[in-house]
Amino acid sequence: SRLFMSERELLVYTGKLADCFNLLTKARYIADTNGAQLDTVLLDNLLLIKGIALQSGIKIRQALASDTLLQRLADANRMLQVQLNAAYQNPKVSRDQIAALEWQADSIQKIQVRAAAASNSGLFAAAEIRPGEALRAGEVAVEFAHFQWLRNNGGASDSVLYYALVQFPGRAAPHFVPLFEEKQLARLLDKTGDDARQASNLYAAARSGELLVAAPAYGTALYNLIWRPLDSLLQAQKIKTVYFSPSGLLHRVAFAALPLDGKKMLSDRYALRRLGSTRSLAVKTPEPVADHFTAAVFGGIVYDRGDAASPSDSSMAMLPDNRLWRFLERPRSGVQERFDLLPGALQEARRLEQLFARRRVRTQSLTGLEATEEAFKALGADTVKSPDILHVATHGFFFPDPEKRRAGDSQDEHAFKWNENPLLRSGLALAGANAAWSGQTAPGNIEDGIVTAYEISHLNLSNTKLAVLSACQTGLGDIKGSEGVFGLQRAFKMAGVDYLLVSLWQVPDQATADFMEAFYSAWLGGKTIHEAFAKAQKKMRKQYKSVYQWGAWVLVE
């Protein structure tokens, strides 16, 4: 029956299974002997439930093209989602009214699941091929997981433990590798606080010229927690390529930047491939070949409706030096009163236009007040295919889960901050966004200029091979059990995008532009998307000493 649940019901279902999995994993954790049979059961369970709600939604979308009933259901669901989106953001709408809309949406989703299963009998079948069967010599699949330790009386403790299941080529049982307690990793990650510059210290192996400030280096401790327990096992098998799926706080780690010693990093030893789940190795995402590509580029956006229609490159250059410096250093994310112009984003868009023109990529460039929410939502609408490449250079935002909302708080703070739905606390700013951000109502029937992850998740971007979110911290979001990160990256995957390029912290404009140019030049020049990403990282490491400048970018498959 779980196969015929809505996404919301699947999330509740997997949450209820947590205690059972916690007990099973605890038994394996304290086992003194080799538990090959139990390890296989653990891996099978992880491959079944990890991201199951996300995958169910993606499967339905894939079935849409060939089924008229599903298309009609999708239209009805889309209308309901528009109503829900407005209701979620309106504090005057009662919880009962929202619940009624959610019930209607759930009902349609369950009909969609049944219809999709009927149109393709193998659509929701559990994967019969374990990761090991899809691996070649020199490759390994690492499925990270975490669980809550149960006390002897069966109650949950405050201790969360992490482990890895390592699958080598073939059908042999996976290797169970215990790792660390979540508190240990949280303490290290919190060393950076809100200052992204401290990332250099977090990933540095020792005090050296690489550090931006005179502070301790935590990289060795980070490596010891996460990767040292795995390294000897991988090196003994002469592993060159590692497919890995993060879990919990590991979604916040830049694996490529983990230090091995004073000079080398993990990406020097292994080709790293980040996956939502290693079960996707059974059906690999196709490598997009750069041929007759189309692109949509958003950048240089004007966030006040009364401003000039489009800021020119020359007008940016005319700014006083101290003002220009403040603009260039302005983060593209975080909690802020208003969204200010990003001259670096305009320059980034201009450089991409020139690069794409040289590579014969047909490009739609949207800047100034033309970069509207309407234009964004029109990508892939109706019979129009979404662009092969979607590049968005703008402000992004993410608000953490509000622990408790007091009565009356919603009247003083905008809905993007206090909303219970994590996909409504994450999003991108487009043209004219400042009005809605300050609590004003958009005039007439126009959109408010703030596209949330919730809205993005209901777009049709199934033709998009790559979405690049050149807004800082776009890789962040709420981490929910086995479903991973609830934020922009989940939203774009739900919309049908194959690959995502997102960031874990704020990256300076110049470094961002240099990284993007290196990546696109390599990819459109004939490299695979993974080769291009690795090449861009290596080039940036030579150009910039600090991990802060290059390590934030993550390619999500």
Side-chain angles (χ1 to χ4, degrees), residues 342-555:
L342 292 168
L346 178 64
Q347 295 163 11
E348 181 180 329
R350 294 286 185 254
R351 288 173 67 172
L352 287 180
E353 287 176 26
Q354 296 170 6
L355 189 154
F356 288 164
R358 292 195 299 270
R359 298 292 182 179
R360 297 182 179 180
V361 175
R362 289 180 290 120
T363 305
Q364 178 186 16
S365 184
L366 295 133
T367 61
L369 287 175
E370 294 179 350
T372 62
E373 185 175 350
E374 286 87 347
F376 188 90
K377 289 181 175 179
L379 302 174
D382 300 324
T383 59
V384 179
K385 285 186 176 181
S386 61
D388 296 288
I389 300 169
L390 173 58
H391 188 103
V392 187
T394 186
H395 290 281
F397 65 89
F398 163 67
F399 291 108
D401 190 3
E403 294 182 356
K404 180 180 283 189
R405 183 159 44 116
R406 299 186 303 272
D409 276 0
S410 61
Q411 301 299 322
D412 301 323
E413 297 180 279
H414 54 63
F416 305 109
K417 185 172 183 178
W418 55 257
N419 206 285
E420 295 176 2
N421 189 329
L423 294 185
L424 285 165
R425 287 185 270 107
S426 180
L428 299 168
L430 297 172
N434 276 333
W437 195 249
S438 61
Q440 301 175 35
T441 303
N445 295 320
I446 66 174
E447 298 278 7
D448 60 16
I450 297 175
V451 59
T452 64
Y454 181 88
E455 292 172 291
I456 293 168
S457 70
H458 293 99
L459 300 180
N460 180 11
L461 301 176
S462 55
N463 188 63
T464 301
K465 282 72 175 175
L466 172 71
V468 177
L469 308 185
S470 189
C472 296
Q473 294 178 292
T474 46
L476 300 184
D478 283 356
I479 297 170
K480 290 186 172 291
S482 61
E483 281 297 312
V485 180
F486 274 68
L488 284 167
Q489 62 173 288
R490 181 183 182 88
F492 276 93
K493 290 301 291 184
M494 289 175 70
V497 174
D498 289 338
Y499 292 90
L500 284 166
L501 195 51
V502 297
S503 64
L504 298 177
W505 59 75
Q506 298 167 7
V507 184
D509 284 337
Q510 187 60 50
T512 295
D514 290 341
F515 185 93
M516 294 303 167
E517 188 160 7
F519 167 72
Y520 280 121
S521 295
W523 182 35
L524 300 176
K527 298 289 185 183
T528 68
I529 198 167
H530 297 97
E531 291 170 346
F533 181 68
K535 186 175 181 179
Q537 283 186 321
K538 289 180 181 178
K539 183 176 180 179
M540 292 292 288
R541 283 178 58 186
K542 291 179 181 178
Q543 186 174 347
Y544 296 97
K545 290 183 178 180
S546 172
V547 170
Y548 161 61
Q549 307 277 20
W550 66 267
W553 297 104
V554 174
L555 183 64

